[in-house]
C-alpha cells in the first residue's frame, strides 16, 4: 500500500531533550516536506527536500533540522525542543514538487513541557 | 505576514446546496494554487489545483476559480454532501526569480465546512 508513515504518532517530552520524528514513504517520490499545524495558523511549511541531499527552508525552519540521505526517509530533528514547538506535525511527499498532489502522513502530536 | 488568507473560519451549508470556500493571497509571485481537505485525526488529502495561467478548473463536484487581478480564489462544491464536512486549506506555490523555489508551499488558516443533512 502506497503510504507515508510517521513515528512516533504521539510524543510528550521535556524542554531541551533532543528528539527525532521519522518520516518514510514507499512511493519513490522525489519531493518530501514537513509541516506543522497550529490553531488559527493553519499549516506552515518547516523544511522541504526536492531530492536526496537537497533540502531547503520553508516558512518556519527555526529550531528544526532535517536530512535527506536516502530517497524514502526524511527525518525531522529538534535539537533542543521548546514549548513553542508543541504542535501537530505532518510529513508529506509528492512525485515532483509542491505543485503536484502531496501525500500526507497521519501526523505526529508533539507536546514539549 | 500571512500571504495566504482564508478569512472565514467556518461555513455551514445544507446538503445538496453549493459550498463556496474563499481564499485571498498577497504574493503576486504565486503561480500554482491547490486545495486540500482534512478530516480529524488524519493527514490532509489533495482535492484540486489550478495554474495561474487558467481561471477555472473542474473535477466532478469540485471547481476552483482563480481571479488573478483580485488575488482571489474560490472552491465551489456542488452539490454538497455530509461527507464533505472537513477542514479545507488553500495553498500556493511561489515561483521565484531563477525558478529555484518549486518546493515552497504556503497554506491558509483553513475553513471548517459543515454540511447538514
Amino acid at each position: 500500500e502506497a503510504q507515508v508513515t510517521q513515528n512516533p504518532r504521539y510524543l510528550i517530552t521535556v524542554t531541551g531533550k533532543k528528539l527525532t520524528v521519522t518520516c518514510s514513504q514507499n512511493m519513490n517520490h522525489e519531493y518530501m516536506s514537513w509541516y506543522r499545524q497550529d490553531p488559527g495558523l493553519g499549516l506552515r511549511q518547516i523544511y522541504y527536500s526536492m531530492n536526496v541531499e537537497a533540502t531547503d527552508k520553508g516558512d518556519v525552519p527555526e529550531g528544526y533540522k532535517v536530512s535527506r540521505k536516502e530517497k524514502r526517509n526524511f527525518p525531522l530533528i529538534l535539537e533542543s525542543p521548546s514549548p513553542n514547538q508543541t504542535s501537530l506535525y505532518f510529513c508529506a511527499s509528492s512525485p515532483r514538487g509542491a505543485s503536484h498532489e502531496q501525500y500526507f502522513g497521519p501526523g505526529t502530536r508533539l507536546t514539549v513541557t | 505576514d500571512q500571504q495566504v488568507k482564508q478569512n472565514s473560519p467556518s461555513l455551514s451549508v445544507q446538503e445538496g446546496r453549493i459550498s463556496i470556500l474563499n481564499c485571498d493571497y498577497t504574493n503576486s509571485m504565486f503561480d500554482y494554487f491547490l486545495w486540500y481537505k482534512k478530516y480529524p485525526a488524519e493527514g490532509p488529502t489533495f482535492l484540486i489545483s489550478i495554474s495561474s495561467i487558467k481561471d477555472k478548473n473542474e473535477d466532478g463536484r469540485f471547481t476552483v476559480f482563480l481571479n488573478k487581478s483580485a488575488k482571489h480564489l474560490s472552491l465551489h462544491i456542488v452539490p454538497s454532501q455530509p461527507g464533505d464536512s472537513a477542514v479545507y486549506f488553500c495553498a500556493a506555490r511561489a515561483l521565484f526569480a531563477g525558478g529555484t523555489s518549486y518546493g515552497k508551499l504556503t497554506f491558509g488558516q483553513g475553513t471548517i465546512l459543515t454540511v447538514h443533512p
Side-chain angles (χ1 to χ4, degrees), chain B residues 44-63:
Chain B
T45 55
F46 171 78
L47 203 52
I48 193 169
S49 63
I50 187 168
S51 164
S52 59
I53 63 173
K54 296 185 175 182
D55 55 19
K56 177 183 174 181
N57 189 26
E58 193 171 353
D59 184 2
R61 296 187 297 114
F62 303 92
T63 303

Side-chain angles (χ1 to χ4, degrees), chain B residues 95-107:
Chain B
L95 182 63
F96 294 104
T100 59
S101 292
Y102 289 103
K104 203 162 186 287
L105 197 65
T106 302
F107 281 81

Side-chain angles (χ1 to χ4, degrees), chain A residues 5-96:
Chain A
T5 56
Q6 297 178 226
N7 282 294
R9 294 289 312 278
Y10 302 91
L11 179 61
I12 301 174
T13 189
V14 296
T15 299
K17 186 176 181 183
K18 180 179 179 179
L19 67 92
T20 299
V21 184
T22 64
C23 173
S24 182
Q25 50 94 4
N26 62 2
M27 296 168 280
N28 202 37
H29 285 170
E30 293 181 352
Y31 177 89
M32 297 186 76
S33 184
W34 275 103
Y35 301 90
R36 59 179 289 176
Q37 183 186 4
D38 301 288
L41 297 175
L43 287 159
R44 292 181 293 168
Q45 191 178 43
I46 303 171
Y47 270 96
Y48 64 91
S49 170
M50 297 297 288
N51 214 324
V52 175
E53 301 292 0
T55 62
D56 211 341
K57 297 176 181 177
D59 286 323
V60 289
E62 296 79 18
Y64 304 95
K65 284 175 60 176
V66 292
S67 68
R68 188 90 182 275
K69 293 183 170 55
E70 48 189 345
K71 205 170 191 178
R72 63 182 294 129
N73 296 322
F74 190 45
L76 180 69
I77 303 155
L78 284 72
E79 295 270 3
S80 182
S82 62
N84 63 14
Q85 292 179 297
T86 292
S87 187
L88 179 57
Y89 291 87
F90 291 101
C91 179
S93 72
S94 123
R96 288 188 308 278

